[in-house]
Amino acid sequence: MEVQAKSLDKANALADATISGAELNNRVENLAKKAAKNMKIDGFRQGKVPLKVIMDRHAKALEDDARNELLGEVVKESLKILKKELKDLIGEPMINKLDKDGNDIKTQIEISFRPEVKIDEIESIMPKFTAPKVTKKEVDDRINEFLKITAPIEKIEKDKLEKGDYAKFDFEGFVDGVAFEGGKAENYVLEIGSNQFIPGFEDGMIGLKAGEKKDIKVVFSKEYGAPNLAGKEAVFKIKLHEIQAKKPQVLDEQSVKRLMPNDKDASVEKLQENIKTQIKNEKFDKLVNEELKVKFADSAVEKFKFDLPKNVVEQEINMRFINYWASFSDEDRKKFQENKDELEKQRKSYEEEARKSVALTFIIDELAKMRSVEVSDQEIIQAIYMEAYRSGLDPKQHFEYYKNQNMLPAIKMALVEEKLFNDIFKLPEEKTQNSEESESKPKKTTKSTKKAEE
């Protein structure tokens, strides 16, 4: 095997190799001998299958396996020439050429390595920001919202049911005159206008009087979860018992205790301060996610230049192209399928943003190491489970999906990024009444400060 290797830059190298036909044949024969020890073929005892029979029946598979093994050895030999180790590799090597030259194989392989990222100082690229302010009106509005949500529902004397009222009623649903499972309840309480029920149901109840009965016709959507009801017309027999409404609440000792059930020292002043902090944190999170992160990312990619592993960039380009595929018109998709040049032109149009994304990933990774930001396997599982709960999915199946799609590293990177930016961008401590109005900078991150902190 003849192997030549040269560096293209600090993150990429090119290997050219010639694999002789004799090497390939020897490797095929060795693989066939290993397979013969355990292979079962009708007419032969296990382990007694003639080598020629195995090589004839499995010629292509044996040759593919042999070639792949030899290509792996090309990569290993290239690493020796380049004075690199296996741990330095990143991503899968890309085969540019794999041609037959008589009995020999000529190949060219691009190899990529984890880039060298040097970050000495980031203070200069930290975006300045003004700490968000919270008004008394915002605090009062949030408290009133909580009071409304937690207010008890009571019976009211009213002529007829209107939108915004609560109805206490019995109902039973029928399709083709037959009651269906899960379509019956007694003394059910529903806010009219909340759109919790099938379209048309709540509107059909408006105008009912307490004690009145009514049949309401509705049609289940074709996408309804229960197949036996999807697209079907149904009749619900209704009896309204009471018209109810939420009792207006005022901010007093009782309501404060209801809003702060686990706080023995609950008070109006403490609730107001907690709500103010909550709103301020929400505003700051929005500022970080929508503005500061973007500014920091743009500045970091511009400031810290390093060679990027080509295979990772190509993978990112492909992912972006696939994500955009659904947004193309049928005409564009047909054009791309029929014209390889147009397809490649479109794919390459994502290269700039792909390179920026890859560079930022390595910068974040290096910053996370500098600031000792880590994410445990348990944190990854918890994040995926919480996502599943919010979406109404089975958490174990959701985790297995991510695992099988090899998406766990991406989930981990997203959590590392979130932790890192939470560590970098912090709200300044309030020292005076007017401190909210002063401009503030995020915490410095330099090697010298890190040593001082340690």
Side-chain angles (χ1 to χ4, degrees):
M1 181 186 296
E2 298 176 13
V3 180
Q4 294 179 326
K6 63 179 181 180
S7 295
L8 299 176
D9 53 40
K10 291 183 179 180
N12 301 283
L14 196 64
D16 286 285
T18 300
I19 301 170
S20 70
E23 285 177 296
L24 183 62
N25 291 336
N26 287 338
R27 188 59 58 96
V28 168
E29 189 173 327
N30 288 337
L31 289 173
K33 286 178 181 177
K34 288 181 183 178
K37 294 178 182 180
N38 300 304
M39 188 169 285
K40 293 180 180 179
I41 293 180
D42 291 343
F44 300 95
R45 285 184 297 160
Q46 184 175 343
K48 299 296 182 180
V49 182
L51 196 60
K52 187 176 185 310
V53 173
I54 293 174
M55 292 179 71
D56 286 345
R57 291 198 179 191
H58 303 283
K60 187 177 185 309
L62 287 168
E63 186 172 334
D64 288 345
D65 290 346
R67 185 177 60 246
N68 289 337
E69 282 191 4
L70 290 166
L71 290 173
E73 290 181 15
V74 170
V75 173
K76 289 180 182 177
E77 186 61 29
S78 300
L79 292 177
K80 289 180 184 177
I81 296 170
L82 297 165
K83 294 182 171 53
K84 295 280 189 178
E85 296 182 25
L86 206 58
K87 64 180 178 62
D88 298 322
L89 284 175
I90 188 168
E92 290 293 325
M94 297 189 298
I95 299 174
N96 292 343
K97 182 176 74 174
L98 190 63
D99 298 332
K100 278 274 191 179
D101 183 13
N103 293 324
D104 299 342
I105 295 175
K106 289 192 176 294
T107 185
Q108 186 179 78
I109 303 175
E110 280 192 68
I111 308 168
S112 295
F113 306 102
R114 181 170 290 279
E116 298 176 15
V117 184
K118 294 182 180 178
I119 300 176
D120 298 322
E121 173 65 62
I122 67 168
E123 184 186 11
S124 62
I125 63 170
M126 287 300 219
K128 295 180 180 180
F129 65 89
T130 301
K133 302 179 200 177
V134 180
T135 65
K136 184 177 183 303
K137 182 179 184 306
E138 287 175 312
V139 174
D140 291 343
D141 287 347
R142 180 67 61 88
I143 291 174
N144 289 333
E145 184 182 330
F146 287 152
L147 288 173
K148 184 179 178 181
I149 291 170
T150 60
I153 301 173
E154 297 180 341
K155 177 183 177 181
I156 59 173
E157 298 300 328
K158 195 172 185 180
D159 292 338
K160 57 184 179 180
L161 188 65
E162 294 179 322
K163 192 171 183 178
D165 293 335
Y166 288 80
K168 183 178 181 181
F169 63 105
D170 299 338
F171 67 87
E172 185 170 14
F174 298 83
V175 171
D176 297 330
V178 180
F180 56 86
E181 187 177 352
K184 181 179 181 179
E186 294 180 352
N187 295 319
Y188 192 91
V189 177
L190 172 69
E191 182 183 3
I192 304 302
S194 62
N195 298 319
Q196 294 181 44
F197 273 37
I198 310 157
F201 187 98
E202 294 172 32
D203 289 341
M205 293 185 68
I206 293 175
L208 282 176
K209 297 178 180 180
E212 191 175 356
K213 296 180 180 180
K214 184 179 180 180
D215 290 353
I216 298 176
K217 290 184 179 180
V218 295
V219 177
F220 287 96
S221 70
K222 292 181 180 179
E223 295 77 28
Y224 193 72
N228 62 312
L229 298 176
K232 298 286 183 68
E233 184 180 273
V235 174
F236 282 88
K237 294 185 176 296
I238 305 293
K239 181 178 180 180
L240 180 64
H241 294 302
E242 292 178 2
I243 299 174
Q244 301 179 338
K246 284 199 170 186
K247 183 180 179 181
Q249 299 293 296
V250 293
L251 188 60
D252 55 17
E253 187 177 339
Q254 288 302 113
S255 60
V256 168
K257 286 181 179 178
R258 192 169 67 251
L259 294 174
M260 303 176 70
N262 300 318
D263 194 330
K264 293 180 181 179
D265 301 320
S267 67
V268 171
E269 292 75 16
K270 193 171 184 180
L271 174 65
Q272 290 171 332
E273 192 58 39
N274 287 351
I275 296 297
K276 180 182 178 182
T277 301
Q278 183 186 77
I279 295 173
K280 179 178 283 188
N281 288 335
E282 289 171 3
K283 286 186 173 186
F284 186 63
D285 287 344
K286 185 177 180 181
L287 176 67
V288 170
N289 289 312
E290 295 182 4
E291 185 179 330
L292 301 184
K293 275 187 184 182
V294 177
K295 288 181 178 179
F296 175 83
D298 289 342
S299 299
V301 171
E302 185 63 31
K303 180 178 175 65
F304 305 115
K305 299 291 186 182
F306 50 91
D307 296 321
L308 299 176
K310 185 178 177 182
N311 58 3
V312 178
V313 173
E314 289 295 317
Q315 185 180 17
E316 181 70 16
I317 292 172
N318 289 337
M319 186 186 74
R320 289 173 182 271
F321 181 76
I322 291 169
N323 289 341
Y324 280 112
W325 183 259
S327 66
F328 297 144
S329 66
D330 292 340
E331 184 180 346
D332 282 339
R333 284 197 286 266
K334 185 178 179 182
K335 178 180 68 176
F336 295 143
Q337 289 167 344
E338 293 175 350
N339 190 324
K340 289 185 178 180
D341 290 338
E342 283 295 325
L343 178 69
E344 184 59 19
K345 183 180 177 182
Q346 183 64 39
R347 199 185 74 86
K348 281 293 184 182
S349 69
Y350 306 118
E351 182 172 2
E352 185 178 347
E353 58 184 76
R355 292 182 68 84
K356 179 180 175 181
S357 175
V358 171
L360 183 61
T361 296
F362 287 113
I363 291 170
I364 288 172
D365 185 53
E366 184 63 22
L367 277 171
K369 290 175 185 175
M370 288 172 61
R371 300 178 75 96
S372 301
V373 174
E374 296 179 349
V375 170
S376 67
D377 291 343
Q378 188 59 36
E379 287 176 293
I380 296 171
I381 294 171
Q382 286 176 352
I384 294 173
Y385 271 42
M386 286 304 298
E387 182 181 78
Y389 290 136
R390 287 194 295 268
S391 303
L393 301 172
D394 181 277
K396 289 184 179 179
Q397 289 181 4
H398 200 47
F399 176 79
E400 286 301 316
Y401 170 78
Y402 278 128
K403 183 179 178 181
N404 294 335
Q405 295 295 318
N406 196 29
M407 293 170 68
L408 295 185
I411 301 294
K412 182 176 182 177
M413 194 64 207
L415 293 175
V416 168
E417 181 180 323
E418 182 180 352
K419 267 191 173 184
L420 175 66
F421 283 119
N422 285 341
D423 186 54
I424 289 176
F425 296 112
K426 296 181 184 295
L427 271 170
E429 294 181 7
E430 292 186 36
K431 294 181 180 179
T432 66
Q433 193 172 8
N434 297 322
S435 64
E436 292 178 1
E437 299 176 8
S438 63
E439 279 204 338
S440 309
K441 289 184 180 179
K443 185 180 176 183
K444 290 183 181 180
T445 303
T446 66
K447 287 186 177 179
S448 58
T449 54
K450 184 175 184 295
K451 286 181 180 178
E453 288 170 358
E454 290 173 351

